[in-house]
PDB file of all heavy atoms in Angstrom:
ATOM      1  N   HIS R   1       0.837  -1.204   0.000  1.00 86.00           N
ATOM      2  CA  HIS R   1       0.000   0.000   0.000  1.00 86.00           C
ATOM      3  C   HIS R   1       0.863   1.241   0.000  1.00 86.00           C
ATOM      4  O   HIS R   1       0.586   2.240  -0.695  1.00 86.00           O
ATOM      5  CB  HIS R   1      -0.931  -0.028   1.212  1.00 86.00           C
ATOM      6  CG  HIS R   1      -1.816   1.179   1.303  1.00 86.00           C
ATOM      7  ND1 HIS R   1      -1.452   2.307   2.004  1.00 86.00           N
ATOM      8  CD2 HIS R   1      -3.033   1.456   0.742  1.00 86.00           C
ATOM      9  CE1 HIS R   1      -2.395   3.214   1.903  1.00 86.00           C
ATOM     10  NE2 HIS R   1      -3.381   2.712   1.129  1.00 86.00           N
ATOM     11  N   GLY R   2       1.983   1.205   0.740  1.00 84.00           N
ATOM     12  CA  GLY R   2       2.891   2.352   0.747  1.00 84.00           C
ATOM     13  C   GLY R   2       3.539   2.578  -0.610  1.00 84.00           C
ATOM     14  O   GLY R   2       3.677   3.732  -1.072  1.00 84.00           O
ATOM     15  N   ALA R   3       3.933   1.478  -1.256  1.00 85.00           N
ATOM     16  CA  ALA R   3       4.519   1.618  -2.596  1.00 85.00           C
ATOM     17  C   ALA R   3       3.500   2.186  -3.577  1.00 85.00           C
ATOM     18  O   ALA R   3       3.828   3.048  -4.418  1.00 85.00           O
ATOM     19  CB  ALA R   3       5.010   0.252  -3.074  1.00 85.00           C
ATOM     20  N   GLY R   4       2.257   1.702  -3.535  1.00 83.00           N
ATOM     21  CA  GLY R   4       1.223   2.234  -4.413  1.00 83.00           C
ATOM     22  C   GLY R   4       0.970   3.698  -4.160  1.00 83.00           C
ATOM     23  O   GLY R   4       0.735   4.474  -5.101  1.00 83.00           O
ATOM     24  N   GLU R   5       1.038   4.084  -2.905  1.00 85.00           N
ATOM     25  CA  GLU R   5       0.830   5.496  -2.583  1.00 85.00           C
ATOM     26  C   GLU R   5       1.972   6.347  -3.132  1.00 85.00           C
ATOM     27  O   GLU R   5       1.739   7.453  -3.651  1.00 85.00           O
ATOM     28  CB  GLU R   5       0.725   5.655  -1.061  1.00 85.00           C
ATOM     29  CG  GLU R   5       0.371   7.051  -0.604  1.00 85.00           C
ATOM     30  CD  GLU R   5      -1.034   7.465  -1.006  1.00 85.00           C
ATOM     31  OE1 GLU R   5      -1.875   6.578  -1.291  1.00 85.00           O
ATOM     32  OE2 GLU R   5      -1.304   8.684  -1.054  1.00 85.00           O
ATOM     33  N   ARG R   6       3.175   5.813  -3.074  1.00 85.00           N
ATOM     34  CA  ARG R   6       4.309   6.557  -3.638  1.00 85.00           C
ATOM     35  C   ARG R   6       4.176   6.676  -5.161  1.00 85.00           C
ATOM     36  O   ARG R   6       4.470   7.725  -5.758  1.00 85.00           O
ATOM     37  CB  ARG R   6       5.621   5.868  -3.260  1.00 85.00           C
ATOM     38  CG  ARG R   6       5.970   6.039  -1.777  1.00 85.00           C
ATOM     39  CD  ARG R   6       7.401   5.585  -1.505  1.00 85.00           C
ATOM     40  NE  ARG R   6       7.581   4.155  -1.775  1.00 85.00           N
ATOM     41  CZ  ARG R   6       7.377   3.199  -0.882  1.00 85.00           C
ATOM     42  NH1 ARG R   6       6.973   3.532   0.338  1.00 85.00           N
ATOM     43  NH2 ARG R   6       7.568   1.940  -1.203  1.00 85.00           N
ATOM     44  N   ASP R   7       3.751   5.579  -5.809  1.00 85.00           N
ATOM     45  CA  ASP R   7       3.539   5.631  -7.255  1.00 85.00           C
ATOM     46  C   ASP R   7       2.472   6.660  -7.607  1.00 85.00           C
ATOM     47  O   ASP R   7       2.584   7.379  -8.614  1.00 85.00           O
ATOM     48  CB  ASP R   7       3.141   4.259  -7.787  1.00 85.00           C
ATOM     49  CG  ASP R   7       4.286   3.256  -7.691  1.00 85.00           C
ATOM     50  OD1 ASP R   7       5.437   3.719  -7.554  1.00 85.00           O
ATOM     51  OD2 ASP R   7       4.010   2.040  -7.720  1.00 85.00           O
ATOM     52  N   ARG R   8       1.434   6.689  -6.808  1.00 85.00           N
ATOM     53  CA  ARG R   8       0.370   7.668  -7.072  1.00 85.00           C
ATOM     54  C   ARG R   8       0.902   9.089  -6.982  1.00 85.00           C
ATOM     55  O   ARG R   8       0.604   9.949  -7.825  1.00 85.00           O
ATOM     56  CB  ARG R   8      -0.776   7.465  -6.088  1.00 85.00           C
ATOM     57  CG  ARG R   8      -1.965   8.388  -6.335  1.00 85.00           C
ATOM     58  CD  ARG R   8      -2.982   8.226  -5.223  1.00 85.00           C
ATOM     59  NE  ARG R   8      -2.448   8.651  -3.938  1.00 85.00           N
ATOM     60  CZ  ARG R   8      -2.362   9.927  -3.567  1.00 85.00           C
ATOM     61  NH1 ARG R   8      -2.768  10.900  -4.372  1.00 85.00           N
ATOM     62  NH2 ARG R   8      -1.869  10.245  -2.389  1.00 85.00           N
ATOM     63  N   ILE R   9       1.718   9.343  -5.991  1.00 88.00           N
ATOM     64  CA  ILE R   9       2.279  10.689  -5.823  1.00 88.00           C
ATOM     65  C   ILE R   9       3.187  11.041  -7.009  1.00 88.00           C
ATOM     66  O   ILE R   9       3.160  12.171  -7.554  1.00 88.00           O
ATOM     67  CB  ILE R   9       3.041  10.772  -4.493  1.00 88.00           C
ATOM     68  CG1 ILE R   9       2.049  10.616  -3.310  1.00 88.00           C
ATOM     69  CG2 ILE R   9       3.783  12.097  -4.379  1.00 88.00           C
ATOM     70  CD1 ILE R   9       2.727  10.532  -1.960  1.00 88.00           C
ATOM     71  N   ARG R  10       3.996  10.035  -7.374  1.00 87.00           N
ATOM     72  CA  ARG R  10       4.901  10.286  -8.500  1.00 87.00           C
ATOM     73  C   ARG R  10       4.119  10.548  -9.799  1.00 87.00           C
ATOM     74  O   ARG R  10       4.462  11.427 -10.604  1.00 87.00           O
ATOM     75  CB  ARG R  10       5.835   9.099  -8.677  1.00 87.00           C
ATOM     76  CG  ARG R  10       6.923   9.350  -9.744  1.00 87.00           C
ATOM     77  CD  ARG R  10       7.958   8.219  -9.760  1.00 87.00           C
ATOM     78  NE  ARG R  10       7.334   6.926 -10.083  1.00 87.00           N
ATOM     79  CZ  ARG R  10       7.142   5.986  -9.191  1.00 87.00           C
ATOM     80  NH1 ARG R  10       7.486   6.190  -7.936  1.00 87.00           N
ATOM     81  NH2 ARG R  10       6.597   4.838  -9.546  1.00 87.00           N
ATOM     82  N   ILE R  11       3.049   9.784  -9.992  1.00 87.00           N
ATOM     83  CA  ILE R  11       2.234   9.965 -11.200  1.00 87.00           C
ATOM     84  C   ILE R  11       1.578  11.340 -11.183  1.00 87.00           C
ATOM     85  O   ILE R  11       1.485  12.034 -12.208  1.00 87.00           O
ATOM     86  CB  ILE R  11       1.201   8.849 -11.307  1.00 87.00           C
ATOM     87  CG1 ILE R  11       1.903   7.522 -11.621  1.00 87.00           C
ATOM     88  CG2 ILE R  11       0.181   9.152 -12.394  1.00 87.00           C
ATOM     89  CD1 ILE R  11       0.991   6.329 -11.566  1.00 87.00           C
ATOM     90  N   GLU R  12       1.104  11.753 -10.051  1.00 85.00           N
ATOM     91  CA  GLU R  12       0.492  13.072  -9.960  1.00 85.00           C
ATOM     92  C   GLU R  12       1.510  14.161 -10.263  1.00 85.00           C
ATOM     93  O   GLU R  12       1.193  15.181 -10.906  1.00 85.00           O
ATOM     94  CB  GLU R  12      -0.130  13.256  -8.582  1.00 85.00           C
ATOM     95  CG  GLU R  12      -1.383  12.426  -8.366  1.00 85.00           C
ATOM     96  CD  GLU R  12      -1.981  12.630  -6.973  1.00 85.00           C
ATOM     97  OE1 GLU R  12      -1.296  13.291  -6.150  1.00 85.00           O
ATOM     98  OE2 GLU R  12      -3.114  12.152  -6.720  1.00 85.00           O
ATOM     99  N   GLU R  13       2.746  13.949  -9.775  1.00 86.00           N
ATOM    100  CA  GLU R  13       3.787  14.927 -10.077  1.00 86.00           C
ATOM    101  C   GLU R  13       4.068  14.970 -11.595  1.00 86.00           C
ATOM    102  O   GLU R  13       4.235  16.042 -12.195  1.00 86.00           O
ATOM    103  CB  GLU R  13       5.059  14.572  -9.323  1.00 86.00           C
ATOM    104  CG  GLU R  13       4.932  14.764  -7.819  1.00 86.00           C
ATOM    105  CD  GLU R  13       6.183  14.302  -7.080  1.00 86.00           C
ATOM    106  OE1 GLU R  13       7.069  13.707  -7.759  1.00 86.00           O
ATOM    107  OE2 GLU R  13       6.275  14.520  -5.849  1.00 86.00           O
ATOM    108  N   THR R  14       4.125  13.773 -12.195  1.00 86.00           N
ATOM    109  CA  THR R  14       4.352  13.715 -13.647  1.00 86.00           C
ATOM    110  C   THR R  14       3.218  14.400 -14.396  1.00 86.00           C
ATOM    111  O   THR R  14       3.425  15.135 -15.393  1.00 86.00           O
ATOM    112  CB  THR R  14       4.489  12.259 -14.088  1.00 86.00           C
ATOM    113  OG1 THR R  14       5.543  11.646 -13.365  1.00 86.00           O
ATOM    114  CG2 THR R  14       4.781  12.168 -15.575  1.00 86.00           C
ATOM    115  N   LEU R  15       1.980  14.165 -13.923  1.00 84.00           N
ATOM    116  CA  LEU R  15       0.827  14.800 -14.558  1.00 84.00           C
ATOM    117  C   LEU R  15       0.924  16.317 -14.452  1.00 84.00           C
ATOM    118  O   LEU R  15       0.600  17.046 -15.400  1.00 84.00           O
ATOM    119  CB  LEU R  15      -0.457  14.298 -13.884  1.00 84.00           C
ATOM    120  CG  LEU R  15      -1.776  14.868 -14.419  1.00 84.00           C
ATOM    121  CD1 LEU R  15      -1.922  14.534 -15.920  1.00 84.00           C
ATOM    122  CD2 LEU R  15      -2.969  14.321 -13.625  1.00 84.00           C
ATOM    123  N   GLY R  16       1.419  16.773 -13.363  1.00 83.00           N
ATOM    124  CA  GLY R  16       1.582  18.225 -13.240  1.00 83.00           C
ATOM    125  C   GLY R  16       2.611  18.775 -14.211  1.00 83.00           C
ATOM    126  O   GLY R  16       2.429  19.867 -14.789  1.00 83.00           O
ATOM    127  N   GLU R  17       3.680  18.006 -14.346  1.00 82.00           N
ATOM    128  CA  GLU R  17       4.703  18.448 -15.281  1.00 82.00           C
ATOM    129  C   GLU R  17       4.147  18.503 -16.698  1.00 82.00           C
ATOM    130  O   GLU R  17       4.408  19.433 -17.477  1.00 82.00           O
ATOM    131  CB  GLU R  17       5.901  17.504 -15.214  1.00 82.00           C
ATOM    132  CG  GLU R  17       6.639  17.577 -13.877  1.00 82.00           C
ATOM    133  CD  GLU R  17       7.742  16.540 -13.794  1.00 82.00           C
ATOM    134  OE1 GLU R  17       7.868  15.717 -14.737  1.00 82.00           O
ATOM    135  OE2 GLU R  17       8.463  16.521 -12.756  1.00 82.00           O
ATOM    136  N   HIS R  18       3.392  17.459 -17.077  1.00 79.00           N
ATOM    137  CA  HIS R  18       2.805  17.437 -18.417  1.00 79.00           C
ATOM    138  C   HIS R  18       1.804  18.566 -18.603  1.00 79.00           C
ATOM    139  O   HIS R  18       1.724  19.168 -19.707  1.00 79.00           O
ATOM    140  CB  HIS R  18       2.144  16.093 -18.684  1.00 79.00           C
ATOM    141  CG  HIS R  18       3.125  14.999 -18.979  1.00 79.00           C
ATOM    142  ND1 HIS R  18       3.726  14.840 -20.230  1.00 79.00           N
ATOM    143  CD2 HIS R  18       3.657  14.004 -18.207  1.00 79.00           C
ATOM    144  CE1 HIS R  18       4.561  13.810 -20.212  1.00 79.00           C
ATOM    145  NE2 HIS R  18       4.520  13.291 -18.970  1.00 79.00           N
ATOM    146  N   ARG R  19       1.051  18.850 -17.588  1.00 78.00           N
ATOM    147  CA  ARG R  19       0.100  19.964 -17.717  1.00 78.00           C
ATOM    148  C   ARG R  19       0.859  21.288 -17.911  1.00 78.00           C
ATOM    149  O   ARG R  19       0.443  22.164 -18.710  1.00 78.00           O
ATOM    150  CB  ARG R  19      -0.782  20.032 -16.477  1.00 78.00           C
ATOM    151  CG  ARG R  19      -1.845  18.944 -16.446  1.00 78.00           C
ATOM    152  CD  ARG R  19      -2.652  19.045 -15.165  1.00 78.00           C
ATOM    153  NE  ARG R  19      -3.707  18.024 -15.146  1.00 78.00           N
ATOM    154  CZ  ARG R  19      -4.511  17.815 -14.106  1.00 78.00           C
ATOM    155  NH1 ARG R  19      -4.377  18.559 -12.993  1.00 78.00           N
ATOM    156  NH2 ARG R  19      -5.450  16.890 -14.165  1.00 78.00           N
ATOM    157  N   ALA R  20       1.961  21.442 -17.199  1.00 78.00           N
ATOM    158  CA  ALA R  20       2.761  22.658 -17.368  1.00 78.00           C
ATOM    159  C   ALA R  20       3.339  22.747 -18.788  1.00 78.00           C
ATOM    160  O   ALA R  20       3.359  23.820 -19.425  1.00 78.00           O
ATOM    161  CB  ALA R  20       3.873  22.691 -16.334  1.00 78.00           C
ATOM    162  N   ALA R  21       3.801  21.530 -19.236  1.00 74.00           N
ATOM    163  CA  ALA R  21       4.342  21.509 -20.597  1.00 74.00           C
ATOM    164  C   ALA R  21       3.242  21.799 -21.618  1.00 74.00           C
ATOM    165  O   ALA R  21       3.487  22.437 -22.667  1.00 74.00           O
ATOM    166  CB  ALA R  21       4.992  20.160 -20.871  1.00 74.00           C
ATOM    167  N   LEU R  22       2.009  21.327 -21.356  1.00 71.00           N
ATOM    168  CA  LEU R  22       0.888  21.573 -22.257  1.00 71.00           C
ATOM    169  C   LEU R  22       0.568  23.046 -22.347  1.00 71.00           C
ATOM    170  O   LEU R  22       0.241  23.581 -23.421  1.00 71.00           O
ATOM    171  CB  LEU R  22      -0.327  20.773 -21.769  1.00 71.00           C
ATOM    172  CG  LEU R  22      -1.599  20.905 -22.613  1.00 71.00           C
ATOM    173  CD1 LEU R  22      -1.349  20.390 -24.037  1.00 71.00           C
ATOM    174  CD2 LEU R  22      -2.753  20.139 -21.968  1.00 71.00           C
ATOM    175  N   MET R  23       0.671  23.745 -21.237  1.00 78.00           N
ATOM    176  CA  MET R  23       0.403  25.169 -21.231  1.00 78.00           C
ATOM    177  C   MET R  23       1.507  25.934 -21.966  1.00 78.00           C
ATOM    178  O   MET R  23       1.251  26.987 -22.568  1.00 78.00           O
ATOM    179  CB  MET R  23       0.284  25.668 -19.781  1.00 78.00           C
ATOM    180  CG  MET R  23      -0.950  25.113 -19.047  1.00 78.00           C
ATOM    181  SD  MET R  23      -0.999  25.627 -17.320  1.00 78.00           S
ATOM    182  CE  MET R  23      -1.147  27.384 -17.559  1.00 78.00           C
ATOM    183  N   GLU R  24       2.709  25.444 -21.912  1.00 78.00           N
ATOM    184  CA  GLU R  24       3.827  26.135 -22.565  1.00 78.00           C
ATOM    185  C   GLU R  24       3.830  25.933 -24.094  1.00 78.00           C
ATOM    186  O   GLU R  24       4.329  26.753 -24.850  1.00 78.00           O
ATOM    187  CB  GLU R  24       5.150  25.631 -21.983  1.00 78.00           C
ATOM    188  CG  GLU R  24       5.346  26.008 -20.522  1.00 78.00           C
ATOM    189  CD  GLU R  24       6.634  25.414 -19.935  1.00 78.00           C
ATOM    190  OE1 GLU R  24       7.297  24.645 -20.687  1.00 78.00           O
ATOM    191  OE2 GLU R  24       6.941  25.689 -18.762  1.00 78.00           O
ATOM    192  N   SER R  25       3.282  24.806 -24.501  1.00 70.00           N
ATOM    193  CA  SER R  25       3.360  24.546 -25.954  1.00 70.00           C
ATOM    194  C   SER R  25       2.038  24.011 -26.456  1.00 70.00           C
ATOM    195  O   SER R  25       1.618  22.922 -26.083  1.00 70.00           O
ATOM    196  CB  SER R  25       4.471  23.546 -26.260  1.00 70.00           C
ATOM    197  OG  SER R  25       4.523  23.306 -27.659  1.00 70.00           O
ATOM    198  N   ASP R  26       1.391  24.871 -27.277  1.00 69.00           N
ATOM    199  CA  ASP R  26       0.121  24.441 -27.855  1.00 69.00           C
ATOM    200  C   ASP R  26       0.339  23.413 -28.965  1.00 69.00           C
ATOM    201  O   ASP R  26      -0.596  22.655 -29.293  1.00 69.00           O
ATOM    202  CB  ASP R  26      -0.609  25.654 -28.444  1.00 69.00           C
ATOM    203  CG  ASP R  26      -1.050  26.617 -27.371  1.00 69.00           C
ATOM    204  OD1 ASP R  26      -1.226  26.150 -26.190  1.00 69.00           O
ATOM    205  OD2 ASP R  26      -1.274  27.769 -27.666  1.00 69.00           O
ATOM    206  N   GLU R  27       1.555  23.415 -29.469  1.00 72.00           N
ATOM    207  CA  GLU R  27       1.806  22.530 -30.572  1.00 72.00           C
ATOM    208  C   GLU R  27       1.823  21.067 -30.130  1.00 72.00           C
ATOM    209  O   GLU R  27       1.547  20.173 -30.922  1.00 72.00           O
ATOM    210  CB  GLU R  27       3.158  22.882 -31.222  1.00 72.00           C
ATOM    211  CG  GLU R  27       3.172  24.281 -31.843  1.00 72.00           C
ATOM    212  CD  GLU R  27       4.536  24.656 -32.400  1.00 72.00           C
ATOM    213  OE1 GLU R  27       5.470  23.792 -32.197  1.00 72.00           O
ATOM    214  OE2 GLU R  27       4.657  25.720 -32.989  1.00 72.00           O
ATOM    215  N   GLU R  28       2.226  20.898 -28.921  1.00 66.00           N
ATOM    216  CA  GLU R  28       2.343  19.520 -28.433  1.00 66.00           C
ATOM    217  C   GLU R  28       1.091  19.070 -27.678  1.00 66.00           C
ATOM    218  O   GLU R  28       1.095  18.097 -26.940  1.00 66.00           O
ATOM    219  CB  GLU R  28       3.545  19.375 -27.507  1.00 66.00           C
ATOM    220  CG  GLU R  28       4.851  19.653 -28.207  1.00 66.00           C
ATOM    221  CD  GLU R  28       6.034  19.510 -27.294  1.00 66.00           C
ATOM    222  OE1 GLU R  28       5.803  19.289 -26.066  1.00 66.00           O
ATOM    223  OE2 GLU R  28       7.160  19.591 -27.759  1.00 66.00           O
ATOM    224  N   VAL R  29      -0.007  19.839 -27.919  1.00 67.00           N
ATOM    225  CA  VAL R  29      -1.251  19.545 -27.188  1.00 67.00           C
ATOM    226  C   VAL R  29      -1.744  18.145 -27.497  1.00 67.00           C
ATOM    227  O   VAL R  29      -2.124  17.366 -26.590  1.00 67.00           O
ATOM    228  CB  VAL R  29      -2.327  20.600 -27.540  1.00 67.00           C
ATOM    229  CG1 VAL R  29      -3.688  20.161 -26.998  1.00 67.00           C
ATOM    230  CG2 VAL R  29      -1.951  21.927 -26.968  1.00 67.00           C
ATOM    231  N   GLY R  30      -1.809  17.839 -28.753  1.00 73.00           N
ATOM    232  CA  GLY R  30      -2.336  16.530 -29.115  1.00 73.00           C
ATOM    233  C   GLY R  30      -1.522  15.382 -28.513  1.00 73.00           C
ATOM    234  O   GLY R  30      -2.066  14.432 -27.945  1.00 73.00           O
ATOM    235  N   ARG R  31      -0.165  15.593 -28.685  1.00 73.00           N
ATOM    236  CA  ARG R  31       0.690  14.543 -28.153  1.00 73.00           C
ATOM    237  C   ARG R  31       0.584  14.454 -26.626  1.00 73.00           C
ATOM    238  O   ARG R  31       0.501  13.360 -26.056  1.00 73.00           O
ATOM    239  CB  ARG R  31       2.127  14.805 -28.582  1.00 73.00           C
ATOM    240  CG  ARG R  31       3.127  13.719 -28.120  1.00 73.00           C
ATOM    241  CD  ARG R  31       4.509  14.041 -28.649  1.00 73.00           C
ATOM    242  NE  ARG R  31       4.938  15.358 -28.197  1.00 73.00           N
ATOM    243  CZ  ARG R  31       5.490  15.570 -27.007  1.00 73.00           C
ATOM    244  NH1 ARG R  31       5.686  14.560 -26.184  1.00 73.00           N
ATOM    245  NH2 ARG R  31       5.870  16.795 -26.686  1.00 73.00           N
ATOM    246  N   LEU R  32       0.567  15.639 -26.058  1.00 74.00           N
ATOM    247  CA  LEU R  32       0.495  15.635 -24.592  1.00 74.00           C
ATOM    248  C   LEU R  32      -0.852  15.097 -24.083  1.00 74.00           C
ATOM    249  O   LEU R  32      -0.926  14.435 -23.046  1.00 74.00           O
ATOM    250  CB  LEU R  32       0.712  17.051 -24.066  1.00 74.00           C
ATOM    251  CG  LEU R  32       2.142  17.614 -24.272  1.00 74.00           C
ATOM    252  CD1 LEU R  32       2.216  19.047 -23.798  1.00 74.00           C
ATOM    253  CD2 LEU R  32       3.150  16.738 -23.536  1.00 74.00           C
TER     254      LEU R  32
END
C-alpha cells in the first residue's frame, strides 16, 4: 500500500509536469 501510494504521488507529479508543458506549448497539445 505504501509503494502504491508513492507511485500515485509520483504519477500526480508527472501529470503536473505534463500539464505545465501543455500550457507552454500548444503545438504539443495533441501529443500531450
